[in-house]
């Protein structure tokens, strides 16, 4: 059996609690993982004096795969986001966010979507300036979006390859090329070019971002895999997380050519840290995405079906899902089913 080497970063706030619930679930399926545990974030700052050690980066460089808890970013002062630093360090250009209905009785049934968001360019490159006008030092402001042909190409190709690998029928390109003719226009042009290589294997269409936001609520039949640029994807990914019940159920993957980092979409939840009631589901689902990435999809599918069954039974839901189970209570219910 292949032994997979994986860097494990428990993270801050509820991170260590949800990681402690997730690890035994991975141990319970027949996949061999050799963990390399590393510190990052506030926890690392307190224990070793820096929020991101070279050793943690070296570990990810070495293993190529990390499972990461949420990391706290201080507001206003203090160090800059470690999540962003890791994304830059490893050029993690594709952010993958699947959203699937798991809790019955919600407002939106049968949601099963995957959003692929470009993760390194667009409006979030950080070309921004405040411009004085007359006496007003902040009379105007400018944020410039930059996209490159190569950047568009690699993320769109990733989305189509993902669709092929996961038997998805279609990729929808979301854009605003009617107004942002330069940046969004280039994205659309490149995306259509890339799609031709997948003709006959994966369907393709495109839609303007605002129409997409509405259709996602009213009629999702058009959508399967969605690919888009950074800011549109940032907004749509929270929308689709909302469709399936919120951040407690949303996993994410940040993927580049040299490394991939898997995590829950939510943050370190300082308001409930240490209380033992955080929902570990999103991190468990992120661990399943990691197993998919490691070509261990049968094990990932087994965990996903057990998670779904556990939620359906309803006895072991955490407070965010209107239950009264603890983090470990949910994990134990999952482990009982995994046998
Ligand atoms: P948050 O996602 O941590 O919390 C928002 C709300 O959702 C809170 O009421 C929290 O209790 C609840 N919540 C989040 N995850 C939950 C879970 N698993 N189970 C039950 N309830 C849950 O967002 P917030 O408060 O904006 O950020 C807190 C910190 O996390 C900040 O320092 C932020 O920078 C960081 N953060 C880190 C991320 C990462 O490492 N990928 C992502 C988002 C935020
Ligand atoms: Mg966001």
């Amino acid at each position: 059996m292949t032994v997979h080497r994986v860097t494990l970063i428990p993270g801050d706030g509820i991170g260590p609690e949800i990681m402690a619930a997730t690890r035994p679930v991975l141990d319970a399926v027949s996949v061999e993982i050799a963990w390399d545990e590393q510190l990052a974030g506030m926890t690392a700052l307190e224990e070793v004096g820096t929020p991101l050690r070279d050793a943690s980066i070296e570990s990810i460089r070495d293993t190529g795969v990390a499972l990461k808890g949420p990391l706290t970013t201080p507001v206003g002062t203090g160090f800059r986001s470690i999540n962003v630093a890791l994304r830059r360090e490893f050029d993690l250009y594709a952010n993958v966010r699947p959203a699937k209905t798991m809790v019955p009785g919600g407002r939106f049934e049968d949601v099963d979507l995957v959003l692929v968001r470009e993760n390194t360019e667009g409006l979030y490159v950080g070309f921004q300036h405040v411009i004085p006008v007359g006496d007003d030092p902040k009379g105007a402001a400018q944020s410039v979006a930059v996209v490159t042909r190569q950047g568009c190409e690699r993320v769109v190709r990733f989305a189509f390859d993902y669709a092929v690998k996961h038997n998805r029928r279609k990729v929808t390109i979301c854009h605003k090329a009617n107004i942002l003719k330069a940046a969004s226009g280039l994205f659309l042009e490149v995306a259509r070019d890339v799609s031709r290589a997948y003709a006959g294997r994966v369907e393709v269409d495109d839609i303007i971002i605002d129409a997409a936001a509405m259709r996602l609520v009213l009629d999702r039949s058009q959508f399967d895999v969605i690919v888009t640029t950074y800011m549109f994807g940032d907004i749509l990914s929270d929308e689709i997380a909302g469709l399936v019940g919120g951040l407690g159920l949303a996993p994410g993957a940040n993927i580049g050519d040299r490394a991939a980092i898997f995590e829950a979409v939510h943050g370190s939840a300082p308001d409930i840290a240490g209380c033992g009631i955080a929902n570990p589901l999103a991190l468990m689902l992120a661990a399943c995405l990691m197993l998919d990435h490691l070509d261990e999809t049968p094990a990932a599918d087994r965990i996903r079906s057990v998670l779904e069954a556990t939620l359906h039974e309803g006895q072991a839901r955490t407070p965010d899902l209107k239950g009264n189970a603890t983090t470990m209570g949910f994990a134990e219910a999952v482990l009982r089913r995994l046998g």
Side-chain angles (χ1 to χ4, degrees):
M1 194 185 277
T2 318
V3 178
H4 303 285
R5 296 171 56 241
V6 176
T7 302
L8 179 136
I9 298 172
D12 299 322
I14 60 171
E17 299 165 49
I18 56 177
M19 196 61 88
T22 300
R23 265 182 80 160
V25 171
L26 286 166
D27 291 340
V29 292
S30 54
V31 174
E32 285 291 327
I33 298 177
W35 298 104
D36 181 18
E37 189 163 335
Q38 294 288 337
L39 294 176
M42 281 296 197
T43 317
L45 182 66
E46 281 156 20
E47 288 187 26
V48 295
T50 166
L52 186 59
R53 279 203 295 187
D54 289 347
S56 305
I57 292 176
E58 282 310 316
S59 172
I60 299 172
R61 203 188 306 286
D62 196 34
T63 62
V65 183
L67 183 64
K68 185 182 87 54
L71 302 176
T72 299
T73 304
V75 179
T77 56
F79 58 86
R80 299 193 50 201
S81 167
I82 300 305
N83 295 312
V84 173
L86 287 170
R87 195 179 299 160
R88 293 233 168 99
E89 176 71 34
F90 294 106
D91 198 16
L92 304 171
Y93 59 86
N95 183 258
V96 186
R97 300 268 199 98
K100 190 167 185 292
T101 306
M102 293 186 83
V103 184
R107 199 178 325 170
F108 301 97
E109 299 286 339
D110 302 323
V111 179
D112 185 4
L113 300 165
V114 180
L115 182 100
V116 177
R117 163 185 108 189
E118 203 292 323
N119 219 12
T120 61
E121 318 193 311
L123 260 178
Y124 292 13
V125 287
F127 285 178
Q128 41 196 342
H129 320 273
V130 173
I131 305 160
V133 177
D135 292 341
D136 184 353
K138 271 194 188 178
Q142 192 178 38
S143 297
V144 180
V146 178
V147 305
T148 65
R149 181 178 297 281
Q150 186 244 350
C152 296
E153 249 169 37
R154 64 182 183 175
V155 74
V156 174
R157 193 167 293 128
F158 177 91
F160 277 91
D161 287 339
Y162 181 97
V164 170
K165 184 176 173 196
H166 294 88
N167 296 312
R168 292 278 178 169
R169 78 190 153 85
K170 184 176 177 186
V171 173
T172 299
I173 306 156
C174 282
H175 65 89
K176 189 77 182 177
N178 52 328
I179 305 293
L180 303 174
K181 289 184 196 298
S184 211
L186 181 61
F187 179 74
L188 178 60
E189 181 190 315
V190 172
R192 283 178 174 158
D193 283 349
V194 169
S195 75
R196 292 198 185 96
Y198 298 84
R201 289 186 289 163
V202 183
E203 289 172 50
V204 61
D205 68 358
D206 54 75
I207 182 169
I208 294 174
I209 183 67
D210 35 344
M214 183 183 68
R215 290 253 198 104
L216 279 167
V217 175
L218 293 182
D219 174 19
R220 281 169 299 286
S221 58
Q222 171 180 1
F223 301 105
D224 188 18
V225 175
I226 295 169
V227 66
T228 191
T229 43
Y230 206 141
M231 186 174 70
F232 298 155
D234 193 6
I235 297 167
L236 282 193
S237 59
D238 278 21
E239 183 183 357
I240 65 171
L243 293 177
V244 299
L247 291 180
L249 296 101
N254 296 288
I255 299 182
D257 292 331
R258 291 171 284 132
I261 300 182
F262 299 85
E263 63 184 340
V265 166
H266 62 71
S268 56
D271 52 335
I272 57 166
C275 301
I277 55 163
N279 190 353
L281 183 63
L283 186 63
M284 289 177 181
L285 289 169
C288 292
L289 296 181
M290 181 186 83
L291 293 178
D292 288 334
H293 179 80
L294 295 170
D295 283 321
E296 297 283 5
T297 295
D301 284 343
R302 178 139 181 268
I303 295 175
R304 279 188 283 252
S305 72
V306 163
L307 292 174
E308 208 160 339
T310 308
L311 288 171
H312 272 247
E313 186 212 18
Q315 296 301 309
R317 293 190 195 164
T318 44
D320 57 306
L321 299 178
K322 315 248 179 304
N324 52 21
T326 61
T327 308
M328 286 317 285
F330 179 77
E332 279 153 19
V334 170
L335 289 169
R336 274 196 296 279
R337 279 178 188 270
L338 278 173

